[in-house]
Amino acid sequence: VESYPYDPDRARGLLADAGYQDGLALSARVTPGPPVLSILYQKVAQDLAAIGVRLDIQFAQGPSWVQMWFSGDWKGADLLSSAWSNTTFMDAARGFETYSCLRPNPFFCEPGITKAIEAVSGEFDADVRLALLKDISKRMHDLAPVIYLFPTTNNLVYTSEITGLEFIGIRAQLESLRF
């Protein structure tokens, strides 16, 4: 999946096409986290302001954010902070479920992609499943339900002393990183 090009002129044009030629105001509920997140949110607000989107950032402390996450009541917010990580499950399909109609009180729901997500969750043929995941990835990219900021990095430790463990698709890279 290709990265989105940085094109503020096109962004302004898309906003105008959608009826927001004078810009718009949005509010965001974000988790405070480490200080670098605060700087990151401010940079997002600055970049959005450059195309005519005014972003009011409101911090939600852990318990409050978790309550909003599970209830689906974002207290009037238009945007929310979220990390898309499949590490816990080691399965890309889980992230798609989170950003879909399959989630209780979804903050993003595109019914057309729900059936594809359900299909991949029940597919056991690895090649078919991979093709389905790639298709969903492309479709989610085109729908753009989120502002993708940066990829997360997960540190994995691999040793030949552990048997029966296979990281599909990255085994060769892991084996080349012997310490």
Side-chain angles (χ1 to χ4, degrees):
V1 176
E2 293 292 321
S3 295
Y4 301 105
Y6 178 75
D7 191 341
D9 292 331
R10 181 165 185 251
R12 281 187 284 278
L14 289 170
L15 284 168
D17 289 348
Y20 298 102
Q21 57 277 357
D22 296 326
L24 77 151
L26 299 173
S27 67
R29 298 282 188 283
V30 300
T31 55
V36 70
L37 280 182
S38 203
I39 295 167
L40 181 70
Y41 298 138
Q42 291 172 31
K43 176 62 175 151
V44 169
Q46 180 183 10
D47 288 349
L48 289 172
I51 62 166
V53 177
R54 296 170 306 284
L55 184 62
D56 175 31
I57 301 170
Q58 300 174 14
F59 290 96
Q61 297 301 323
S64 176
W65 190 93
V66 169
Q67 182 180 20
M68 288 186 281
W69 178 260
F70 285 105
S71 71
D73 178 4
W74 291 94
K75 315 289 186 222
D78 302 298
L79 304 171
L80 57 120
S81 65
S82 173
W84 181 321
S85 175
N86 301 308
T87 306
T88 305
F89 307 102
M90 296 302 284
D91 183 1
R94 291 297 298 208
F96 295 131
E97 290 171 6
T98 300
Y99 294 82
S100 78
C101 306
L102 296 171
R103 183 183 189 283
N105 302 311
F107 48 85
F108 175 79
C109 177
E110 175 55 47
I113 202 165
T114 301
K115 294 248 186 262
I117 296 170
E118 289 174 324
V120 79
S121 295
E123 181 57 59
F124 293 99
D125 181 297
D127 293 332
V128 172
R129 193 166 198 278
L130 180 59
L132 289 170
L133 286 169
K134 286 181 178 182
D135 177 63
I136 293 169
S137 294
K138 173 74 171 98
R139 290 170 67 184
M140 290 295 274
H141 172 273
D142 294 346
L143 290 168
V146 299
I147 299 173
Y148 298 101
L149 298 177
F150 55 87
T152 57
T153 302
N154 299 307
N155 297 313
L156 303 173
V157 177
Y158 178 79
T159 174
S160 59
E161 296 170 11
I162 298 174
T163 60
L165 179 65
E166 182 178 357
F167 294 101
I168 299 171
I170 62 169
R171 184 180 195 104
Q173 289 102 338
L174 290 172
E175 288 179 350
S176 70
L177 298 174
R178 296 207 185 265
F179 296 94

